Amino acid sequence: MKDLRLKKNSLSVFFAIAFAIPIIAAIIVTLVAGRPADIVTKELSAAALVVVMAMVHAPTVAAVIVVYRSQRLEGIKVLFQQLKHWNFPLQWYLKAILIFPATILAVLFALSIFSSSFSPVLSLSIMAFAGLFSALWEEIGWTGFATPIMLKRFSPLEVGLLLGFLHAMWHLAASIYGAGAFHGNLFILNFLATSVGIVGLRIVTIWIYTRTGSLVLSWLTHAGFTGGQLAFVSLDLTPAETTIWNSAFSLSVTGIVVVVVLRNRDLMIRSR
């Protein structure tokens, strides 16, 4: 991150805090209230809300703590000032906003040929809108803090793969809490399928970031990925259907990544 003089172990501390917050929240809430029988996006109780809020705020909280530790309030100001940069060509806004919602709808229409369960819906629930804000709080940490630091050492593709893997694993505790009982024996398969999509999300996000330097566009890309699924994918899918959906969507996201990397081969080159 430019203009910040961070301590040597800042990135490791960031990841430690970002992972610890949702893990601790999930353990405490499970011990106090147990795990929900249904997915939390369908039935959001007060207990589940605590876990969700702890998770989505964790990357920003971690970034703020680490930056404050190095440069106090001036550093936090630099971190959040990235949200002030909105002036980018329209084409990048269209790519950030539409790339994943369009993919979601295409996959749903394709799957609906085989089962009406996959027919796209239009949900205007609070969870769909929450996807917009949860993505912001995540991206302040993932893109606003971690990505610039990692790009100094690795190529954009390497950062996407590594940070994407960490981003996916970061979901594990909350996923066990919020969907473990619902998915049952299919949980591991579903989580792995979802993780592939998250790695793809991270690579696409970093591609856009390396072209624009924009935290805002990274936020909108993530919002399209999360909010698009909450808005268009039925919450009435069975565990098996959910696994099929996540597998098909992640495969499509992987296809997008392949196209992006082949057309932007500099993503494989480390900066000097």
Side-chain angles (χ1 to χ4, degrees):
M1 185 188 308
K2 296 180 179 179
D3 302 323
L4 278 182
R5 297 181 301 277
L6 299 171
K7 294 184 178 181
K8 188 175 181 179
N9 62 344
S10 292
L11 190 61
S12 298
V13 175
F14 164 79
F15 284 122
I17 297 172
F19 271 77
I21 292 174
I23 291 173
I24 293 172
I27 291 174
I28 292 175
V29 171
T30 299
L31 291 175
V32 173
R35 288 194 299 167
D38 210 340
I39 52 176
V40 295
T41 51
K42 187 174 181 180
E43 185 178 341
L44 189 62
S45 64
L49 183 62
V50 171
V51 177
V52 171
M53 293 296 286
M55 182 183 75
V56 300
H57 286 83
T60 294
V61 171
V64 167
I65 291 173
V66 171
V67 170
Y68 183 81
R69 176 172 167 258
S70 298
Q71 283 200 292
R72 300 297 188 261
L73 293 178
E74 184 60 31
I76 294 175
K77 180 180 178 181
V78 172
L79 178 68
F80 283 93
Q81 277 182 337
Q82 296 177 86
L83 293 171
K84 294 171 62 176
H85 303 298
W86 289 78
N87 189 18
F88 301 99
L90 178 61
Q91 63 168 319
W92 287 108
Y93 274 99
L94 293 176
K95 290 175 181 177
I97 294 172
L98 298 179
I99 188 168
F100 287 122
T103 303
I104 290 165
L105 288 173
V107 174
L108 285 173
F109 280 123
L111 290 176
S112 67
I113 296 174
F114 304 97
S115 173
S116 60
S117 298
F118 296 106
S119 298
V121 300
L122 180 58
S123 172
L124 300 179
S125 68
I126 188 172
M127 288 300 296
F129 288 104
L132 179 66
F133 298 102
S134 66
L136 171 61
W137 286 109
E138 286 189 43
E139 289 307 319
I140 291 173
W142 302 135
T143 298
F145 178 81
T147 295
I149 298 174
M150 297 178 73
L151 284 173
K152 294 178 181 179
R153 297 181 56 190
F154 305 103
S155 71
L157 180 58
E158 289 172 332
V159 174
L161 291 170
L162 179 56
L163 186 56
F165 172 77
L166 292 171
H167 185 190
M169 293 304 103
W170 171 80
H171 285 84
L172 181 58
S175 295
I176 292 174
Y177 168 80
F182 172 75
H183 287 119
N185 294 332
L186 290 173
F187 175 79
I188 294 178
L189 181 59
N190 185 73
F191 182 78
L192 290 175
T194 303
S195 297
V196 172
I198 293 173
V199 173
L201 160 67
R202 191 51 45 198
I203 294 173
V204 171
T205 300
I206 289 174
W207 162 57
I208 292 176
Y209 180 81
T210 58
R211 295 302 185 265
T212 65
S214 172
L215 171 57
V216 171
L217 291 177
S218 298
W219 159 35
L220 294 176
T221 305
H222 191 161
F225 183 93
T226 302
Q229 293 185 75
L230 291 171
F232 300 135
V233 181
S234 173
L235 295 178
D236 294 323
L237 297 181
T238 65
E241 289 169 339
T242 302
T243 303
I244 292 172
W245 156 252
N246 283 319
S247 299
F249 178 55
S250 293
L251 181 62
S252 299
V253 172
T254 301
I256 292 173
V257 168
V258 171
V259 172
V260 166
V261 173
L262 290 178
R263 291 186 176 182
N264 301 269
R265 293 183 181 271
D266 59 301
L267 293 176
M268 296 182 278
I269 300 173
R270 296 183 180 183
S271 61
R272 296 179 179 179

